[in-house]
């Protein structure tokens, strides 16, 4: 999931604290949950709102008229095609992408908690603007501000978590962050279902404004939270860092971990050219994965469902209520599927999940495409009986389940567990940026694509699913249970990537000119990299 998997697998160094539930750890969990919820709520809320009549009538009257006008046998696929309507959804992700670059510097220079506060506050303003919106401009500016908030939160929360959590809890928190995102999506679907029933036509305002709740928790939490020992060290406060580590761990006996933190900080500070490093031939496998995996994750088409499920179900002929309820059902399936992946990912490995998930998604997409083609045809005229529409809903659920235990969590986990320290920050930035960029593209293009490609759109995504499944089969080695510092061996043994890895890299470590020795690499994987560790990185990695 969201989190990078440095911690979920590989060897986690045991500093002998056990799993101590200090107040800090508790707060950390809370921040983790709110950070994920904020992102998930945003992913899930827009689709339901844009399917509400009152909202459409107020802000997008032409779409509303098109939707209501059955008289001219309007093409079903094109009912919701409006660039303005899609920009309401997509603007958030482009803002998040741009903001994350600024957030990266803020997180490093001013610390993680300042970044979280900034993110929470900007997000709050966005939620208020959206809830109070009277025109499209207010809506869009609000969405952009939410995006800035998400950019900051996704940058700083995962870093904060990975640095605060004791090693033994880090894996759980890591996947818990992704789980929180799916719960956020589900919460948004439920809220939409409820607010749609509000008489008086202001339900959409409640939906949009409720985004403020997790944001307030995160902002207030961040005000009271201390900064992480890693961040204090990075900014030169060595004494304070040690005291903080003692408080966080609930014991004075932290020397060994503190020493590791210092080494990891020093090593990461010596990494001068992460961007140049990652271009070296020996990092070609990691660079390829940092681009291909997030790109393919978005090309599964999942966000078509996450963003537009209610709109899609309306297109299929479901009533408003049934559409929103169907979105709740897919949201629930998404949560359950993610939980399943937590229990299977380290047992069966990444490849099995990727391959099985790919095949399952492919079958569903093909069947959905065929059914839509038969019922609406190329002209997009027709209707669907309840039985057929229910079958489409079931197929969508089976598809979402497959995504939720494969490309959903693994799309974040795998890229983040394959970068050695010297390219970690650059690699994770690429991963996150590519993901956000294609999330934006899908959000912006879907409704138009549905209008023009019609049922063929499902075949289009199915084609990519075939491509990505073949790609995984041939090019992704199994990384389950492989400590990070051993990862170069995995690539070296691979039939294709082996050619890119010089033999000298295999002896013992992944040392390179950046000064990351095997020991620093190992300590960073067992604690967290002080340059803004990426262990829990749905969002951002590079502090
Ligand atoms: C993806 C999001 C998607 C979510 C659905 C995440 O892994 O990055 O784009 O909306 O899963 O659960």
């Amino acid at each position: 999931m969201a989190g990078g998997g440095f911690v979920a697998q590989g060897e986690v160094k045991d500093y002998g604290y056990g799993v101590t539930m200090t107040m800090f750890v508790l707060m950390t969990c809370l921040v983790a949950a709110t950070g994920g919820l904020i992102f998930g709520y945003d992913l899930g809320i827009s689709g339901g709102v844009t399917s509400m009549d009152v909202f459409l009538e107020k802000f997008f009257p032409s779409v509303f008229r098109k939707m209501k006008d059955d008289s001219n046998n309007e093409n079903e696929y094109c009912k919701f095609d409006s660039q303005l309507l899609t920009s309401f959804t997509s603007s958030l992700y482009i803002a998040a992408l741009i903001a994350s670059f600024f957030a990266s510097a803020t997180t490093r220079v001013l610390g993680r908690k300042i970044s979280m506060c900034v993110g929470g506050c900007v997000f709050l303003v966005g939620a208020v603007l959206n809830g109070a919106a009277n025109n499209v401009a207010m809506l869009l500016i609000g969405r952009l501000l939410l995006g800035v908030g998400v950019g900051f939160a996704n940058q700083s929360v995962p870093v904060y978590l990975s640095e605060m959590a004791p090693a033994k809890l880090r894996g759980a928190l890591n996947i818990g962050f992704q789980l929180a995102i799916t719960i956020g999506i589900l919460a948004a679907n439920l809220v939409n279902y409820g607010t749609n029933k509000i008489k008086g036509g202001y339900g959409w305002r409640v939906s949009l404004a409720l985004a403020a709740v997790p944001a307030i928790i995160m902002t207030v939490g961040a005000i009271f939270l201390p900064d992480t020992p890693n961040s204090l060290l990075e900014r030169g406060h060595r004494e304070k860092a040690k005291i903080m580590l003692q408080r966080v761990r609930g014991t004075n006996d932290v020397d060994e971990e503190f020493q590791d933190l210092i080494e990891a900080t020093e090593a990461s500070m010596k990494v001068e050219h992460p961007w140049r490093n990652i271009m070296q031939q020996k990092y070609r496998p990691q660079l390829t994965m940092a681009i291909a995996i997030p790109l393919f994750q978005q090309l599964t088409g999942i966000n078509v469902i996450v963003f537009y499920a209610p709109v899609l179900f309306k297109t299929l002929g479901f009533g408003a209520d049934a559409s929103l309820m169907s979105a709740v059902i897919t949201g629930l399936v998404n949560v359950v599927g993610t939980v399943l992946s937590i229990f299977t990912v380290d047992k069966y490995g990444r490849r099995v999940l990727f391959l099985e998930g790919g095949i399952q998604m492919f079958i569903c997409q093909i069947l959905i495409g065929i059914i839509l083609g038969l019922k609406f045809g190329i002209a997009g005229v027709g209707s669907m009986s309840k039985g057929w529409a229910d079958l489409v809903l079931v197929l969508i659920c089976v598809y979402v389940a497959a995504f939720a235990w494969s490309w959903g969590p693994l799309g974040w986990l795998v890229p983040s567990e394959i970068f050695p320290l010297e390219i970690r920050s650059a690699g994770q930035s690429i991963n996150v940026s590519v993901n956000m960029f294609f999330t934006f593209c899908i959000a912006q293009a879907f409704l138009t694509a549905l209008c023009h490609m019609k049922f063929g759109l499902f075949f289009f995504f199915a084609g990519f699913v075939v491509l990505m499944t073949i790609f995984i089969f041939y090019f992704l080695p199994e990384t389950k249970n492989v400590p990070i510092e051993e990862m170069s061996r995995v690539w070296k043994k691979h039939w294709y990537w082996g050619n890119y890895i010089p033999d000298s890299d295999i002896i013992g470590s992944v040392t390179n000119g950046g000064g990351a020795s095997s020991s620093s690499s190992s300590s960073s994987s067992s604690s967290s990299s002080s340059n803004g560790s990426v262990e829990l990185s749905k969002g951002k990695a590079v502090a």
Side-chain angles (χ1 to χ4, degrees), residues 1-2 39 43 178 181-182 185 297-298 302-303 306-307 334 338 403-404 407-412 435 439 538:
M1 129 72 211
F39 188 41
L43 285 163
Q178 166 76 1
I181 291 172
T182 58
I185 297 173
Q297 190 207 46
Q298 290 306 313
I302 185 65
N303 278 328
V306 172
F307 294 150
N334 195 10
T338 307
F403 175 87
W407 281 88
L410 301 180
W412 294 100
N435 196 295
T439 304
K538 168 90 172 199

Side-chain angles (χ1 to χ4, degrees), residues 76-92:
E76 296 290 325
Y77 298 115
C78 297
K79 277 179 170 175
F80 290 90
D81 179 20
S82 152
Q83 287 299 310
L84 202 58
L85 182 63
T86 43
S87 57
F88 169 69
T89 299
S90 66
S91 50
L92 189 149

Side-chain angles (χ1 to χ4, degrees), residues 97-114:
L97 173 59
I98 296 167
S100 67
F101 294 119
F102 295 98
S104 169
T106 312
T107 307
R108 191 178 56 245
V109 178
L110 300 177
R112 287 70 170 127
K113 67 179 262 176
I114 300 277

Side-chain angles (χ1 to χ4, degrees), residues 11-76:
E11 275 151 23
V12 174
K13 197 162 173 179
D14 189 352
Y15 294 110
Y17 309 129
V19 180
T20 325
M21 247 307 162
T22 60
M23 189 60 193
F24 289 113
V25 174
L26 219 84
M27 291 296 277
T28 304
C29 297
L30 190 67
V31 173
T34 53
L37 283 178
I38 281 180
F39 188 41
Y41 193 84
D42 277 326
L43 285 163
I45 204 72
S46 54
V49 168
T50 50
S51 78
M52 291 180 191
D53 284 359
V54 194
F55 178 83
L56 280 180
E57 194 177 7
K58 184 171 175 64
F59 296 105
F60 306 95
S62 62
V63 181
F64 180 72
R65 278 195 300 276
K66 216 187 320 175
M67 198 188 77
K68 287 287 153 190
D69 186 7
D70 281 337
S71 58
N72 58 355
N73 267 349
E74 176 66 75
N75 182 342
E76 296 290 325

Side-chain angles (χ1 to χ4, degrees), residues 318 368 371 385-397:
F318 284 47
I368 295 170
I371 296 175
S385 68
K386 182 158 180 332
W388 283 106
D390 285 346
L391 179 60
V392 174
L393 174 61
V394 170
L395 287 170
I396 289 179
C397 287

